[in-house]
Amino acid sequence: VANMSAQVRGRMIDELNRDYVRTLRTRGISSRSIVLKHALRNAGSPALTVMSLEFIQMFGAALIIENVFALPGFGSYAFNASLQGDIPVILGISVFGVVLVTVVNLVTDIANGWLNPKARVH
């Protein structure tokens, strides 16, 4: 959460100092509208990217969390399969990881296109 908050804060500071924001302020548009409708849309794209990368990293850290809290799960299952040399399970886990990364990246790209019209491809 801290990493994403720092990312959004930094981007919002940059966006609020841009020329188009100054122009919107001189036209009399409210600060709330400028922040929510204009600046946050442009600042949200990097935050979505960071959030998707952190989501994928959570599965990489699953083994550590499961061992600390003594929970059976995906990480310990993968670790035990690799210790036993269970090739079909390792392949299944690899395929699951690839599909997970692909789906998360696809959802992130769709959300970026919806959030920021400049990111859309026609």
Side-chain angles (χ1 to χ4, degrees):
V1 173
N3 191 13
M4 193 169 64
S5 298
Q7 184 77 26
V8 171
R9 180 182 180 275
R11 286 290 299 181
M12 280 299 289
I13 290 170
D14 290 343
E15 287 298 320
L16 290 175
N17 289 328
R18 292 197 176 222
D19 291 336
Y20 77 91
V21 173
R22 260 184 259 129
T23 304
L24 291 171
R25 283 189 183 133
T26 58
R27 289 185 177 178
I29 297 176
S30 69
S31 295
R32 179 183 171 126
S33 178
I34 291 171
V35 168
L36 293 178
K37 290 183 180 178
H38 300 282
L40 192 58
R41 291 190 102 172
N42 291 331
S45 180
L48 278 174
T49 305
V50 169
M51 187 171 61
S52 69
L53 292 173
E54 287 179 356
F55 180 78
I56 293 168
Q57 285 177 342
M58 284 191 320
F59 282 96
L63 175 64
I64 297 166
I65 300 299
E66 290 169 4
N67 284 335
V68 168
F69 294 107
L71 298 170
F74 182 76
S76 58
Y77 183 62
F79 182 70
N80 290 334
S82 65
L83 286 179
Q84 296 171 358
D86 195 354
I87 301 298
V89 172
I90 295 171
L91 288 174
I93 289 169
S94 299
V95 168
F96 175 75
V98 168
V99 169
L100 179 72
V101 169
T102 305
V103 168
V104 168
N105 285 336
L106 178 67
V107 169
T108 302
D109 287 343
I110 290 171
N112 277 333
W114 175 78
L115 191 64
N116 189 357
K118 292 185 287 185
R120 293 181 189 157
V121 178
H122 296 281

